[in-house]
């Protein structure tokens, strides 16, 4: 055996980073204080991600208080507190599980010293530049009626720019998502079927594209849509940005990989 071949030779001397108590950490994920499952690919299901994820529940922040009550500002202190706990744990960047956490992007970024990725909607301005001004970025969110201008502006989306919004639950009838997230409709034991949810999302994306023929890319706001991103892309044949693409990016910029090859 060659000495040291089983370790990163760039790591020789270690020292404490600020007040961090854990090392080798990845992304810190702020969760809603709601009990419901997520398919692999959903942010609250750690099994499908190729990097470490540390979870922290934002106490008192639920689908109801964050989205349905239309007053997300009352959740601000709990969200910032969760982010600070993840930072102290040693996480390299902060993310959240729901796109409506966009409301707190600026607040959390100002409160901690590590990069913050509070919503998949952060990718909309980038997508707009990628596809050019003659095409629209299609945002598919869970509930269109709850996605306000303030959510969009806080992640850098100008209200007069090239995007359109569609609501999976309130506009296109994705009932399987109601069974998980809608506090007014979900059963006592929230549950969903993968095949049915996937088909509903495919149909929603196809109808959305048919309604807005100038869409050049799709951004999925909701973490629960992420497991179906590939199936959606297969049907609509467009670039698809999801929580998954954002999290991969977030990890890569905070824990950059080495390159091995030949010339």
């Amino acid at each position: 055996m060659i000495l040291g071949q089983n370790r990163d030779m760039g790591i020789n001397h270690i020292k404490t980073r600020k007040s961090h108590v854990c090392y080798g950490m990845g992304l810190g994920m702020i969760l809603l204080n709601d009990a419901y499952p997520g398919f692999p690919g959903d942010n609250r299901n750690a099994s499908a991600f190729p990097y470490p994820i540390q979870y922290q529940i934002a106490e008192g922040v639920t689908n109801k208080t964050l989205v349905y009550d239309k007053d997300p500002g009352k959740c601000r202190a709990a969200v910032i507190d969760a982010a600070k706990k993840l930072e102290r744990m040693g996480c390299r960047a902060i993310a959240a599980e729901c796109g409506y956490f966009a409301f707190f992007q600026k607040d959390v970024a100002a409160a901690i010293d590590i990069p913050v990725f509070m919503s998949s909607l952060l990718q909309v301005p980038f997508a707009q530049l990628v596809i050019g001004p003659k095409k629209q970025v299609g945002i598919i969110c869970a509930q269109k009626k709850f996605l306000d201008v303030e959510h969009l502006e806080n992640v850098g989306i100008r209200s007069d720019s090239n995007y359109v919004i569609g609501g999976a639950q309130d506009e296109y009838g994705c009932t399987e998502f109601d069974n998980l997230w809608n506090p007014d409709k979900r059963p006592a034991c929230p549950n969903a079927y993968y095949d049915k949810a996937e088909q509903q999302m495919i149909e929603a994306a196809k109808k959305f594209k048919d309604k807005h023929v100038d869409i050049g890319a799709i951004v999925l706001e909701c973490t629960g849509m992420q497991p179906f991103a590939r199936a959606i892309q297969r049907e609509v044949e467009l670039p698809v940005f999801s929580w998954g693409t954002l999290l991969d990016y977030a990890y890569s910029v905070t824990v950059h990989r080495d390159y091995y090859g030949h010339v």
Side-chain angles (χ1 to χ4, degrees), residues 62-166:
T62 65
N63 268 295
K64 186 176 187 300
T65 59
L66 178 67
V67 180
Y68 287 76
D69 286 354
K70 299 185 180 181
D71 183 21
K74 63 186 177 183
C75 301
R76 183 176 286 105
V79 173
I80 292 174
D81 183 61
K84 287 182 175 180
K85 288 178 179 178
L86 289 167
E87 180 184 32
R88 185 166 185 268
M89 185 72 70
C91 294
R92 306 304 292 263
I94 299 297
E97 72 161 327
C98 175
Y100 292 86
F101 276 104
F103 193 88
F104 305 109
Q105 172 65 33
K106 294 180 179 179
D107 295 319
V108 177
I112 62 177
D113 293 325
I114 56 177
V116 174
F117 302 83
M118 291 298 287
S119 175
S120 61
L121 297 176
L122 283 162
Q123 299 169 106
V124 172
F126 176 68
Q128 289 172 324
L129 291 171
V130 168
I131 65 173
K134 295 181 180 180
K135 296 179 181 179
Q136 301 266 22
V137 172
I139 300 171
I140 301 181
C141 64
Q143 296 266 23
K144 179 179 179 178
K145 61 186 176 183
F146 296 137
L147 192 62
D148 294 331
V149 171
E150 194 166 2
H151 290 97
L152 304 179
E153 290 180 344
N154 283 344
V155 290
I157 305 170
R158 290 190 3 253
S159 59
D160 61 346
S161 62
N162 52 318
Y163 69 87
V164 289
I165 301 174

Side-chain angles (χ1 to χ4, degrees), residues 97 115 172 181 195-196 225 229:
E97 72 161 327
Y172 292 106
W181 311 321
D195 290 344
K196 186 175 181 181
M225 300 173 184

Side-chain angles (χ1 to χ4, degrees), residues 31-38 42-46 49 55 97 223:
L31 291 183
L32 294 168
N33 193 7
D34 269 320
Y36 56 82
D42 189 306
N43 287 8
R44 65 168 46 201
N45 185 331
F49 296 100
Y55 290 112
E97 72 161 327
T223 175

Side-chain angles (χ1 to χ4, degrees), residues 39-59:
F39 292 114
D42 189 306
N43 287 8
R44 65 168 46 201
N45 185 331
S47 66
F49 296 100
Y51 32 77
I53 293 181
Q54 177 71 34
Y55 290 112
Q56 181 67 46
I57 294 172
E59 297 296 339

